Amino acid sequence: FYLTPPQVNSILKANEYSFKVPEFDGKNVSSVLGFDSNQLPANAPIEDRRSAATCLQTRGMLLGVFDGHAGCACAQAVSERLFYYIAVSLLPHETLLEIENAVESGRALLPILQWHKHPNDYFSKEASKLYFNSLRTYWQELIDLNSGETTDVKEALINAFKRLDNDISLEAQVGDPNSFLNYLVLRVAFSGATACVAHVDGVDLHVANTGDSRAMLGVQEEDGSWSAVNLSYDHNAQNEHEVERVKMEHPKSEEKSLVKQDRLLGLLMPFRAFGDVKFKWSIELQKRVVESGPDQLNDNEYTKFIPPNYHTPPYLTAEPEVIYHRLRPQDKFLVLATDGLWETMHRQDVARIVGEYLTGVHHQQPIAVGGYKVTLGQMHGLLTERRARISSVFEDQNAATHLIRHAVGNNEFGTVDHERLSKMLSLPEELARMYRDDMTIIVVQFNSHVIGACQSEE
């Protein structure tokens, strides 16, 4: 099934979104120039989500990617709720009081976030009241706990992740008299999602990660070449510290059954995630909730089974690992992406492709043909393709789209092969999933002048 270049482009560009930060927003000149984001589904419907927002009552910008499993319900809920929890965790005591007083007296609320959303990124209207009430309970507790100290960003991120996960679990246990909402909160809790979120404020960059999506910094070296700096670690069986952490939290007798075939209890790839109450609740609680829940829940095989060797829950946490990085003028961009990208591309290639795209300057590496026997004709083809690649940069107005094009269409020589791209994009739904995962990418571009000025001021 052959797709023409315009057909390929329309598939690749369907979910792209770009945001440019206004030059001067009255408060501060931002260290972020803007961002590009895009998604390419493999599942139908896609299980990934993305979010971006500017914090209005504090400084800074939030960006995140969320990778759902066992459905998209949990990723959807986390994508629309987590930033509110983070923003509230960062607010000073007076602002929290102001917001609570406004709700009390029925006045208009101070807006906390300005969202930057693609038209496809919807909010579930039906649950907004429930979500708001849970959030309000959280800020009321923060008001009562008032320590008078300013909140540390790292602490705020950890508290927000843990609190939202706790609320997802509680809402499912309490249920809801409205059967549609009851089914929704149960679907959110029984499915799961990983999250990788960045908070950028001036030269301060924090990345909070739960699961196996990743954050990577693109750095331009003095000679103009590009290098990648990891700003997150995967929470899975490939991470020895993570395997050790899980083992430390359970009795020695369970050591052999905790991680099987590189999965938690032989079932789950990520070792940290939101939702997934099957790995968090006691067996009694799971049975009670499923039995008292709506009938649709009983038709769902996933909710009925209990993981094997399930003795000392919880086995799973949503607590993020937070990495801090102080931005330097040579730090040009940040890539946040779900594992669909990292399964197909090495971070070094990601850094180079995005760096060359953003600067429009291509460092021509000698053509590497490895152990291939290459005829003169093929060599001529490769050189022609390389020339075409330089002009092809201009067909993408979005860095995330450009990256997806390479992730899906690269051949063994590292150039985009239109035929391969066409084949990969025309796979039927049931096959697509065997070749690639959902891909969600946000590329954040930094303002080196602002970062340099912040540094020299200090």
Side-chain angles (χ1 to χ4, degrees), residues 93-110:
H93 187 245
E94 309 73 72
T95 315
L96 288 172
L97 277 174
E98 234 176 290
I99 292 174
E100 176 54 27
N101 291 336
V103 178
E104 268 299 290
S105 58
R107 291 198 316 275
L109 281 189
L110 287 172

Side-chain angles (χ1 to χ4, degrees), residues 366-386:
I367 285 189
V369 285
Y372 299 100
K373 287 197 165 57
V374 178
T375 64
L376 269 176
Q378 285 169 314
M379 193 53 134
H380 175 72
L382 281 171
L383 289 165
T384 319
E385 204 169 317
R386 171 179 276 193

